[in-house]
Amino acid sequence: MFSKFLRKESLDRYLESDRHFAKTLSAFDLIALGIGAVIGTGIFILPGTVAATTSGPGIILSFFFSAIVCALAAMCYAEFSSALPVAGSAYSYGNLVMGEIIGWILGWALILEYMLAVAAVSTGWAAYFNSFIEGFGLHVPKAISGSFDPAHGTYVNLVAVLIVVAISFLLSRGMSTSMKINNWAVIIKIAIILIFIVVGIFFVKPHNWHPFLPYKMSGVFQGAATVFFAYLGFDAVSSSAAEVKNPKRNMPIGIIGTLLVATILYMAVSVVLTGMVKYTHLDVANPVAFAMQVAHQDWAAGVISIGALIGMFTMMVTMIYSSSRLVYSIGRDGLLPTFLNKITEKHKIPLNALIAVTIIIAFMGGLVPLDQLTSLVNIGTLLAFTFVSFGIIPLRRRKDIKNEGGFKVPWYPVLPIVSGLACIAMLTQLQLETWVGAGIWFLIGLVIYFAYGFRHSKIAKDN
């Protein structure tokens, strides 16, 4: 019975199922997808608040050390996506090299990461949008401005629902159209970040960087553990492998390139921000806009608000896209109803999976208070990172999986093991309530697997 739980999927079957996708994505598209997911409102908030409370101007080192830890996991993802160019990210990797039950657990963790993250960001987007239109004298009625809470007069967050539906409609038009819009949005977002950096340089006062390490190196490392989560999202790029031109070349570029660009931007914003304003004054809701106000550049606050809206928009595009490909992959294997793996003839997308994902995310974003649940995103991500890191070892041992000419993690097996251990160390930093919530989530997942997935699995039918 135990061996049945660890039965492994066939790469040939995955490649055959995924051949219906249109291969349209380039390396640039992948980097845009990754940056869209990684760089959201966090870049306008985290450098200031973490500098004020934990790292001081040494926040630049915190981002650097976090990037090193993420780079280890990124290289492991790059090798997997190069060797296994299939949809489904860590879920499919787990099924292929570690067994079905591991794949299901990873898939269930990714569902938690992707959908909960989008639902939470949709409510943040709604809040920013409401604030933005108030500047023009417009107001969203209170009844449709928040999650279901009749005691406080709110019944549905309509703006959060509408932005999720709008993005899903965009994705339903095919990847070519979606990527054009996403790529332009990412370019505008980066331009806004660069505007802050270029303008802010002229208002830097070097004495604000002293002392550079007010909380000593212990504060830098504590800050690194906090800002680590600012990098999460690059893994979503690997969900697109079945739709990528020349995946052996482009997938590693997309994943590692995303992390490189994000690191440079985070560190540059940190340097300029802590140079403009003394770190002790940056513990505010929007430190980047605050710094511009201190410099009497009030026009920039509106620009930054637009950047925040675009940042959250591109994050939701990537995560809704990745969620639909994940759900498609699980349906492809029979662990969820197989209608979810149907690909449309016209646009070559898994429309049923996209609709299912949209309904769930819109429900959570529009009706469910998410304040206490967003920390669960971190545990889902780190579990996937851990398994993917250690999974490089059984991947290399598989003689039937060729990765000739593809990316390989250097210094094998040391770096994959170090990456896995670093992720476990990060998991130990999560709060007890997060572990309890995750335990309930995975218990629900196992009930679904044993009640439905195990009996309907394509592997079981093939055997």
Side-chain angles (χ1 to χ4, degrees), residues 296-316:
H296 304 294
Q297 302 298 307
D298 293 332
W299 62 271
V303 173
I304 289 166
S305 293
I306 295 172
L309 284 169
I310 295 173
M312 287 184 278
F313 172 85
T314 58
M315 181 273 184
M316 288 187 284

Side-chain angles (χ1 to χ4, degrees), residues 361-374:
I361 294 173
F363 173 81
M364 290 194 297
L367 296 170
V368 181
L370 298 171
D371 297 345
Q372 305 302 317
L373 298 177
T374 50

